[in-house]
Amino acid sequence: MTRFWAAALFLALPLSACGVLGASRTVELDVVNVSLPAAVSPAAPLQVDVRASIGSCEDTNHRLTLVSRTTQVLTLKAEATKTRPGAVCPAVYAETTLSYSDPGTPARTDPFEVIVNGKSWGKVRVQ
């Protein structure tokens, strides 16, 4: 009988709030909206604000990461670190704004496209 309870406890651990057997990993956040200016000069700083949902207590370290940057395209990734996979979390929906400032080097050409998590969110006029 003791073996039965030991086995049951071992199988229940991954379902516990501690997430004992889970390993940290990077996850993509769901992007709700991206705010861009209508126009920018070729070498001026460009502010990109990304609104993303963060509805899980498992996700920490929410960030906007530069994937690539050319004269015509800025590619970003909204992501988080899932630190407690398998944790029991309350059903809560929340959003946060993550910001990235592109320094303008190399100088942009018109039009300048912004891509976040693989989706084009618009083009900025370069003037």
Side-chain angles (χ1 to χ4, degrees):
M1 190 70 155
T2 304
R3 283 187 184 171
F4 170 77
W5 290 113
L9 178 62
F10 178 75
L11 293 173
L13 280 176
L15 301 176
S16 71
C18 297
V20 174
L21 298 179
S24 294
R25 63 186 170 95
T26 300
V27 294
E28 197 172 273
L29 296 173
D30 291 326
V31 176
V32 176
N33 188 36
V34 175
S35 297
L36 306 168
V40 68
S41 68
L46 167 70
Q47 180 79 21
V48 178
D49 293 322
V50 175
R51 192 96 179 128
S53 65
I54 55 165
S56 173
C57 70
E58 299 173 3
D59 300 345
T60 60
N61 189 23
H62 306 105
R63 60 197 175 274
L64 202 50
T65 306
L66 175 65
V67 175
S68 66
R69 162 65 158 80
T70 67
T71 59
Q72 296 177 315
V73 179
L74 171 65
T75 304
L76 302 170
K77 186 171 194 177
E79 59 189 1
T81 303
K82 189 173 283 289
T83 56
R84 301 182 328 163
V88 177
C89 301
V92 175
Y93 180 83
E95 293 180 357
T96 189
T97 300
L98 306 169
S99 297
Y100 179 82
S101 182
D102 179 69
T105 52
R108 298 175 202 92
T109 58
D110 189 52
F112 187 73
E113 185 175 19
V114 177
I115 297 171
V116 181
N117 288 3
K119 178 183 175 185
S120 176
W121 288 88
K123 295 180 180 179
V124 178
R125 274 191 336 241
V126 178
Q127 52 187 25

